[in-house]
Amino acid sequence: MKPLIFITNDDGVNARGLQSAIRIARRFGRVVVIAPEVVQSGKSHAITMFSPLFLRHVRSEEDLEVYAFSGTPVDCVKMAFDHLLKDQKIDLVISGINHGSNSAISVLYSGTMGAAIEGSFYGSPSVGLSLLDHSDNADFEAAEEYGARIVERVLAGGLPLPLCLNVNVPVLPTDQIKGIKVCRQNKGYWKEEFFCRQDPRGKDYYWLTGDFFNAEPEATDTDEWALANGYVSVVPIQVDMTDYSRIDPLTDAFGN
C-alpha cells in the first residue's frame, strides 16, 4: 500500500508553495491536504477554542484529496489526526512549502513549524519546508528538488522517532546549492518596530515590522550560516524547552 502523506501549511490553501509540497508528496504516496482557508502566518502553535470551525472539500484527484479549514495550521493537523484520518496511519506530515524563512528564532513564531511539531506529537515523522523567498511568485524548483530528497530519506525509515525537521532552502538555482547541511538553530532575536499611521478618519493604526539580529555571526554550525553559504539547512526540532543547565543552580538557590 502506498504511504499516506498529510500536508498542511500556514500560507493558505491557495498558496503556490502548497502546490509544490503536493507535487513532492505525490511522487511517494497517497496525499491528503487540509490547509487553512486564509493566511495564518505567525500563528505558531495556536489552536481555535472559542469559534466554530468549517471544513470545505476543494478537489479530488487520483491519490489526492484537498480540503480547506477555517482554523490555524495546528487546527488542520488535529482535524486530520483526530477526525478525517483518525482510522488511518499517517506515514509522514509535510508542512509548507512556506513563503519565507523559518530559520533561527523564527521557528517559535512559525505556523508552518507549529503544524510540523504538532504532527510529530502524533508519532508521525514531520517535515517543515520553507523557502527564503516571501514573494507570491517565488521559484520553488530548488525547494521541490531538495524537499523530495529529504522526504524520500525520511520515508525510507530507520530514523529515530519522534522526528520533526525544520528545513530551509536558500534562494538559489538548484545547481548552485551546495547540498544539505544538518545543523543547529542559530541564536538570535527579532527587533520589532511599530509604524503608526492614521486612517482616513484620523484614528491611529499600527504596522509591525522588524529585523533579525544574529547573536553569533561567526558560528559555522548553524542554520543561518548554512543558508548564507548556499546549503539547505536541516535542524532537528525538539519540544522540551527545559533549560537543563539551570536546574542545579536553581535547586541550590531555592534550597531543594
Side-chain angles (χ1 to χ4, degrees):
M1 181 180 293
K2 294 180 180 179
L4 174 57
I5 301 174
F6 170 69
I7 299 177
T8 190
N9 73 346
D10 73 357
D11 290 313
V13 71
N14 296 314
R16 291 183 66 245
L18 181 70
Q19 305 312 312
S20 292
I22 291 171
R23 285 193 292 271
I24 292 172
R26 294 187 82 177
R27 300 189 200 182
F28 302 101
R30 191 163 52 96
V31 180
V32 175
V33 179
I34 304 178
E37 282 277 12
V38 297
V39 175
Q40 296 283 328
S41 296
K43 292 293 186 178
S44 186
H45 221 93
I47 58 175
T48 303
M49 298 178 65
F50 303 108
S51 301
L53 295 168
F54 300 92
L55 184 68
R56 177 174 65 88
H57 183 262
V58 175
R59 73 179 193 271
S60 296
E61 300 175 17
E62 184 178 357
D63 289 331
L64 174 66
E65 295 285 338
V66 180
Y67 297 85
F69 198 40
S70 62
T72 68
V74 172
D75 287 332
C76 292
V77 177
K78 290 181 178 295
M79 169 56 69
F81 280 90
D82 296 328
H83 181 71
L84 193 67
L85 303 173
K86 68 177 181 180
D87 297 322
Q88 303 182 58
K89 178 180 181 294
I90 297 176
D91 296 287
L92 176 69
V93 173
I94 298 175
S95 185
I97 300 171
N98 189 64
H99 293 245
S101 172
N102 278 315
S103 61
I105 196 66
S106 295
V107 68
L108 292 179
Y109 303 102
S110 167
T112 299
M113 288 310 300
I117 292 167
E118 183 70 19
S120 72
F121 289 168
Y122 288 89
S124 295
S126 300
V127 179
L129 295 172
S130 301
L131 174 67
L132 275 64
D133 189 341
H134 286 91
S135 169
D136 291 338
N137 297 315
D139 182 355
F140 285 92
E141 180 182 347
E144 285 190 37
E145 172 63 29
Y146 278 89
R149 295 185 194 183
I150 291 165
V151 165
E152 183 176 31
R153 179 62 191 88
V154 172
L155 284 172
L159 299 176
L161 297 176
L163 180 68
C164 181
L165 302 180
N166 183 16
V167 178
N168 284 272
V169 180
V171 183
L172 290 171
T174 305
D175 60 2
Q176 292 183 27
I177 292 178
K178 297 176 182 177
I180 296 171
K181 183 76 71 175
V182 177
C183 46
R184 67 176 175 87
Q185 176 183 321
N186 177 260
K187 295 177 182 177
Y189 61 94
W190 281 91
K191 176 64 175 177
E192 277 84 16
E193 184 176 359
F194 285 92
F195 287 107
C196 179
R197 298 179 179 143
Q198 289 189 329
D199 68 14
R201 296 181 179 179
K203 187 174 181 179
D204 288 346
Y205 69 92
Y206 297 87
W207 280 109
L208 175 66
T209 186
D211 294 298
F212 175 74
F213 287 84
N214 187 339
E216 43 181 358
E218 304 304 319
T220 60
D221 61 342
T222 72
D223 50 5
E224 287 293 318
W225 183 92
L227 293 163
N229 286 274
Y231 292 92
V232 173
S233 68
V234 177
V235 178
I237 299 297
Q238 65 177 5
V239 178
D240 184 353
M241 298 177 70
T242 306
D243 185 348
Y244 290 97
S245 68
R246 300 290 188 270
I247 288 180
D248 286 344
L250 285 169
T251 299
D252 293 340
F254 291 113
N256 296 123

